[in-house]
Amino acid sequence: MAFGARAYPGLVPGPNVVKGRVTGFDQDGEKAKSAERVGKHMSYQLIEDMDGWEEDMDRLTISIPIVGCLFKKSYFSPSRGKNVSETVFPKNLIVNYWAKNLETAPRITHEVHLSDNEIQERISSEIFTDQEYTKIAIREETAKDEAHGVTRPVEDESTPNLFLEQHLWIDLDNDGYKEPYIVTTCGNKVARIMAGYDLETVIVNEDRVIKIDRINYFTKYGFVPSPDGSFYDVGF
């Protein structure tokens, strides 16, 4: 609680959360003015436009000392029509244990829980392919439930379905080079495949592709680095 009380004001000092920094020569001050405008607009997006952003940051600063690390997933949601930034707990974000960081991890898997309505909304918006998705039970740790004295509710039509959103590298064009893609699956069915890169992340030399960087949607917040050098940090 003490850590959260000190960390939250440091991360969210007031309405101006985002501040731009000018690099390079700025004789007429236009860069500084532009940075100020961008900072005000992004601060507005975080504080006013994104639902629950402040509450998520408060929850993040309190939870980090306990679980060791948390993640923020920031992206544009086509179904909501605006930018979204949500907190993701480490149990729902699976990364190779010995990965150095998110940028170089060979695969990042995010467990996404969707209700029947949310699935239908994505099908109607042509985000997911139109097919029947078998409901997969969401398994929670029995020992944790017993320790907290809770019982998992009986599964019915309101139980959310489990989708796996995998950020990985695949060679779909068979050119010998794997490109970053985002593949969403439910059981053995593929719901969506989209590119995990754009023109800005493709490095070319004349007409030859040299390298493709993956767009990273996740930001890691760590507490104490793991002593064995593994990816997941540790808490108290």
Side-chain angles (χ1 to χ4, degrees):
M1 293 293 290
F3 174 84
R6 293 194 301 266
Y8 182 79
L11 294 173
V12 188
N16 297 323
V17 181
V18 180
K19 296 181 180 180
R21 184 179 63 179
V22 177
T23 58
F25 193 60
D26 186 22
Q27 183 177 5
D28 54 3
E30 289 301 319
K31 287 185 179 180
K33 294 178 182 178
S34 177
E36 184 179 359
R37 291 193 297 269
V38 171
K40 288 183 178 180
H41 178 66
M42 294 186 67
S43 297
Y44 163 78
Q45 287 182 311
L46 295 176
I47 301 297
E48 304 294 340
D49 196 40
M50 291 185 181
D51 299 330
W53 183 85
E54 289 185 89
E55 291 80 0
D56 271 0
M57 288 300 298
D58 190 23
R59 186 182 302 112
L60 183 144
T61 55
I62 293 178
S63 302
I64 280 181
I66 304 172
V67 299
C69 72
L70 283 172
F71 305 89
K72 291 282 285 186
K73 183 181 181 183
S74 305
Y75 62 99
F76 178 80
S77 173
S79 59
R80 301 184 190 180
K82 60 181 179 180
N83 293 324
V84 175
S85 181
E86 56 190 27
T87 300
V88 180
F89 279 77
K91 70 174 185 176
N92 300 123
L93 192 74
I94 298 91
V95 181
N96 185 280
Y97 187 79
W98 298 111
K100 297 298 182 182
N101 49 58
L102 288 171
E103 288 73 19
T104 59
R107 181 173 64 246
I108 303 171
T109 303
H110 180 203
E111 293 184 348
V112 182
H113 304 153
L114 300 176
S115 65
D116 292 340
N117 269 0
E118 290 173 324
I119 296 173
Q120 189 57 47
E121 289 172 359
R122 284 162 172 76
I123 293 176
S124 301
S125 303
E126 298 183 348
I127 298 174
F128 284 178
T129 55
D130 190 358
Q131 57 182 326
E132 290 291 332
Y133 295 102
T134 304
K135 188 175 290 293
I136 300 175
I138 300 174
R139 300 177 181 177
E140 295 290 344
E141 299 86 345
T142 305
K144 183 187 71 174
D145 292 343
E146 293 178 353
H148 289 277
V150 297
T151 303
R152 190 178 65 182
V154 179
E155 296 178 3
D156 54 18
E157 64 277 1
S158 64
T159 303
N161 207 343
L162 175 61
F163 283 75
L164 300 180
E165 182 185 286
Q166 302 186 48
H167 300 243
L168 69 170
W169 299 78
I170 314 176
D171 184 14
L172 293 181
D173 53 5
N174 296 319
D175 63 349
Y177 184 81
K178 296 181 180 180
E179 294 84 9
Y181 283 92
I182 303 174
V183 181
T184 305
T185 62
C186 179
N188 60 352
K189 295 183 178 180
V190 176
R192 184 191 193 195
I193 299 178
M194 65 169 292
Y197 61 95
D198 54 23
L199 292 177
E200 295 181 356
T201 60
V202 179
I203 302 174
V204 298
N205 184 8
E206 295 181 353
D207 59 345
R208 183 179 180 182
V209 176
I210 303 299
K211 180 183 178 183
I212 300 178
D213 293 325
R214 178 173 60 195
I215 298 176
N216 188 18
Y217 295 89
F218 299 95
T219 304
K220 181 183 178 184
Y221 291 81
F223 192 65
V224 178
S226 178
D228 63 358
S230 59
F231 176 78
Y232 293 98
D233 300 321
V234 296
F236 286 134

